[in-house]
Amino acid sequence: MTQAYPSPDLSVNLGGIQMANPVAVASGTFGYGQEYEKFVDIAAIGALIVKGTTLTARPGNPNPRIVETPAGMLNAIGLENPGVDVFLDEYLPYLHAKNVTVIANIAGNSIEEYAALAARLEGQEGIAGIELNISCPNVKQGGLQFGTDPDTVYQVVKTVKGETGLPVLPKLSPNVTDIVAIARAAEAAGADALSMINTLMGMAISVQERQPVLANVFGGLSGPAIKPVALRMVYQVYQEVGIPILGGGGIMCCEDALEFIMAGATAVSIGTGNFVHPRLALDIVQGISDYMQAHEIEHLQAIKGCAVR
Amino acid sequence: MLEKGKIIRHNQVGTDLYEIELAAGAIVREAQPGQFIHLRVGDAYDPLLRRPLSIYDVDAEKGTMEILYRVVGKGTKLLTQLTAGEELDLMGPLGAGFSIAEGINKVCLIGGGVGIAPLVFLARRLRSKNVELCFLQGTRTRAQIVAEQRLQAWSVDHYIATQDGSCGYHGMVTDLLTDENIMQGVQFIYTCGPEPMMKAVQAWACQHHIQGELSLEEYMACGIGACLGCARKLHSQDEFYVKICKDGPVFGLHEVELYEGRTGS
């Protein structure tokens, strides 16, 4: 008979965001949560990072917007969203009433827009933190241009921190030469945690039509194909910064999530995997719990970064 | 909902065309014609995403449904290898299906290629309501004609057109729309198939002031309106996009700007 071991404590503190478990769902892969309610208890997810919000509504990119690639997919949605007012009026109250841990995700065309968005979210009930999209590869203005230069990252984060008392997590792009320099700049500017990574820029060509598949030509690659890259980046950044990391990129199972935690992530985010298995986030929570019990781990702190050499 | 569907029967019914019968009682109870299921082929990472496939027919008593699919890529090719007894991971029923207007006595269903799939389930439903219907099926060649026996069992007037003339009318299925013997008394029209075909149906219906519905397709990831991948503008001058998975796949016949090529926007 196996000896009974107390239920492990799955809760984590992600730079001031208190999560009941270490598994979040990534922005743009879970809508505003309602879409998934038929399939999963959304309040049980560690944190729900909602679709990226801009100051005013954006229609998004022409279609085709997505295409499957080996062990992954490319997307170029183009930040389609109804604007911050609709998010606050129509979606947030619902999630708040359901007791969902919500992390807002904001994207601006200028530093002023990031500031205005952060100010608009300040004092709103039901937001646990703000993820800064400074890494969207699919919009012409804004997005990625803010996330590839350490000085700009510093300015955006510093400005947003001046507008809000909420925890702020910039979402880092992998499409850079030195992700550690970007992470350091974010930390120096007062970021409470880091979210990493966003998608890797890629493309696909239709041989029949002799042209790019995506109307936007380029798109962001996600899914298990990018996991080794994401893991390496989390591992590198963990050694160089003191703030917690929300790590993700291609997580499809509990073992993948544990790899990120062992590379130094405090919590993990599930993205493309949600499309494949709507219940994946909660299955992974269960899997982590089982692993902890089997290995007599009381808290994830015990294995966070344990693989770092 | 999510359900494991056990394969009861799986067989080839035409060139690159397969029928698969699945035990999926919970989905069958809710399924409406025009809706789709999102299924995972195997559990490997390539192909990674689910495949959206129209519900072809249901047997409410047995709690089974059938899918008609055409082999077009990696996912459907892999699907052909699954055999009876194996299970498929299903999400569904998803999307907005066909509406069934009250007070309509005769309708026309016109499908091209594998696009007839949702129309067969619709034909079953309409016949159960005693609606008279003519079913126009267009294919390239004889070996792609399916559903003949079930349509016959439901006393459906079934007309076939093949592009190579190997069966039925020799030419485009939309040519049959001009045959007054067939179309006499039609009050509503449903269509699914290649976009140029549906465009011809739309033009005919517009000319004859007949309302109808069509079913669209697009690459999909989530299938439930979260990823915003399957976007399309109903009209090229629209500012915003609809999502095929959630707002559709069924739309009003005259609501959508159709294209001669695969898609516009």
Side-chain angles (χ1 to χ4, degrees):
Chain A
M1 233 181 88
T2 53
Q3 203 180 341
Y5 195 79
S7 278
D9 178 9
L10 288 169
S11 69
V12 294
N13 185 320
L14 183 70
I17 300 169
Q18 194 58 43
M19 294 167 61
N21 65 64
V23 183
V25 286
S27 180
T29 67
F30 223 73
Y32 297 96
Q34 290 164 2
E35 295 85 348
Y36 278 92
E37 270 192 307
K38 271 190 189 170
F39 307 98
V40 64
D41 174 11
I42 58 174
I45 296 169
L48 199 163
I49 311 177
V50 292
K51 176 71 188 168
T53 297
T54 49
L55 266 184
T56 52
R58 281 182 60 100
N61 286 333
N63 56 311
R65 290 179 173 185
I66 58 168
V67 61
E68 191 177 64
T69 55
M73 65 178 283
L74 292 161
N75 88 79
I77 308 300
L79 276 178
E80 172 176 344
N81 82 96
V84 68
D85 290 337
V86 174
F87 166 62
L88 292 175
D89 295 343
E90 292 180 22
Y91 297 109
L92 184 60
Y94 180 84
L95 294 171
H96 183 47
K98 293 245 162 181
N99 242 333
V100 176
T101 303
V102 175
I103 298 177
N105 175 295
I106 59 172
N109 283 326
S110 62
I111 289 179
E112 293 71 29
E113 278 193 21
Y114 281 99
L117 279 158
R120 189 79 181 78
L121 299 182
E122 182 63 9
Q124 299 285 342
E125 265 191 285
I127 301 177
I130 301 176
E131 184 178 64
L132 295 184
N133 182 350
I134 50 169
S135 46
C136 181
N138 300 325
V139 292
K140 287 201 176 62
Q141 280 195 314
L144 190 55
Q145 72 181 42
F146 289 99
T148 51
D149 171 53
D151 293 340
T152 316
V153 169
Y154 181 89
Q155 280 176 47
V156 175
V157 174
K158 188 90 183 162
T159 305
V160 168
K161 281 297 289 180
E163 297 290 338
T164 181
L166 288 168
V168 172
L169 330 62
K171 185 165 187 177
L172 307 190
S173 170
N175 303 303
V176 294
T177 316
D178 181 5
I179 194 153
V180 170
I182 305 284
R184 280 199 186 118
E187 183 181 37
D192 298 280
L194 299 171
S195 171
M196 55 190 293
I197 59 173
N198 207 321
T199 55
L200 283 149
M201 220 202 280
M203 74 177 295
I205 290 172
S206 162
V207 174
Q208 264 81 42
E209 294 169 29
R210 302 185 182 191
Q211 59 176 359
V213 176
L214 298 176
N216 191 55
V217 182
F218 300 144
L221 179 64
S222 63
I226 73 164
K227 197 195 80 181
V229 177
L231 196 61
R232 182 266 294 177
M233 287 182 159
V234 168
Y235 185 102
Q236 280 182 311
V237 167
Y238 172 69
Q239 291 172 284
E240 302 294 332
V241 302
I243 51 178
I245 297 168
L246 174 66
I251 294 178
M252 294 296 293
C253 63
C254 170
E255 287 70 23
D256 293 344
L258 287 167
E259 281 190 71
F260 276 90
I261 291 166
M262 291 176 185
T266 294
V268 296
S269 63
I270 315 300
T272 300
N274 296 314
F275 304 150
V276 182
H277 296 299
R279 288 185 192 147
L280 184 60
L282 294 189
D283 287 350
I284 288 176
V285 172
Q286 185 62 52
I288 291 173
S289 175
D290 293 347
Y291 178 88
M292 289 168 75
Q293 263 191 306
H295 295 83
E296 304 193 352
I297 296 164
E298 279 181 51
H299 195 272
L300 284 175
Q301 196 66 32
I303 54 166
K304 187 176 89 177
C306 69
V308 174
R309 296 284 171 266
Chain B
M1 65 194 73
L2 290 165
E3 190 170 11
K4 294 278 183 198
K6 191 178 230 178
I7 300 173
I8 294 174
R9 181 179 54 81
H10 191 186
N11 54 295
Q12 187 163 9
V13 292
T15 308
D16 288 338
L17 288 169
Y18 291 77
E19 271 178 22
I20 187 162
E21 187 180 6
L22 298 161
I27 291 175
V28 167
R29 264 193 298 282
E30 286 188 16
Q32 298 300 321
Q35 290 190 296
F36 65 94
I37 55 154
H38 213 21
L39 68 82
R40 184 111 210 276
V41 186
D43 51 12
Y45 291 162
D46 189 17
L48 179 68
L49 300 173
R50 289 170 180 270
R51 295 294 186 267
L53 294 166
S54 291
I55 300 170
Y56 174 48
D57 202 358
V58 302
D59 186 326
E61 274 176 30
K62 276 165 64 190
T64 62
M65 72 174 147
E66 287 170 88
I67 305 296
L68 172 74
Y69 67 93
R70 185 165 69 94
V71 178
V72 288
K74 217 175 333 194
T76 42
K77 192 168 181 184
L78 202 62
L79 186 56
T80 64
Q81 293 165 14
L82 301 183
T83 55
E86 290 186 84
E87 281 186 338
L88 279 171
D89 182 347
L90 312 173
M91 265 174 95
L94 302 178
F98 293 110
S99 58
I100 294 172
E102 294 296 322
I104 300 272
N105 301 315
K106 185 176 178 185
V107 303
C108 172
L109 278 57
I110 175 164
V114 75
I116 75 146
L119 301 178
V120 169
F121 183 14
L122 177 65
R124 173 188 282 279
R125 184 61 54 88
L126 290 167
R127 288 302 294 144
S128 75
K129 293 179 182 293
N130 277 319
V131 177
E132 188 187 340
L133 57 91
C134 56
F135 195 109
L136 316 185
Q137 180 178 15
T139 66
R140 266 186 287 114
T141 186
R142 183 185 196 103
Q144 294 167 323
I145 296 159
V146 294
E148 273 181 297
Q149 282 167 3
R150 62 185 91 205
L151 292 173
Q152 200 172 33
W154 304 336
S155 310
V156 170
D157 292 327
H158 185 197
Y159 301 91
I160 290 163
T162 51
Q163 286 171 38
D164 67 359
S166 54
C167 185
Y169 172 80
H170 185 177
M172 303 304 286
V173 67
T174 46
D175 294 348
L176 298 176
L177 292 170
T178 58
D179 186 334
E180 287 185 9
N181 291 325
I182 298 173
M183 298 303 290
Q184 185 70 37
V186 165
Q187 296 161 293
F188 202 86
I189 192 159
Y190 298 94
T191 184
C192 182
E195 201 148 323
M197 181 209 85
M198 294 198 291
K199 190 173 165 68
V201 174
Q202 186 186 54
W204 181 88
C206 186
Q207 206 179 354
H208 293 78
H209 307 289
I210 289 178
Q211 294 299 311
E213 289 181 334
L214 53 75
S215 180
L216 297 174
E217 65 175 0
E218 183 56 75
Y219 293 124
M220 285 181 194
C222 74
I224 54 175
C227 74
L228 312 181
C230 61
R232 174 173 177 139
K233 285 183 179 178
L234 290 182
H235 294 277
S236 49
Q237 73 274 20
D238 288 353
E239 186 182 2
F240 292 95
Y241 296 81
V242 296
K243 307 304 163 305
I244 303 300
C245 71
K246 194 181 177 187
D247 302 313
V250 172
F251 294 91
L253 179 58
H254 302 296
E255 190 187 0
V256 187
E257 185 176 345
L258 297 169
Y259 301 93
E260 289 295 336
R262 188 186 145 270
T263 182
S265 89

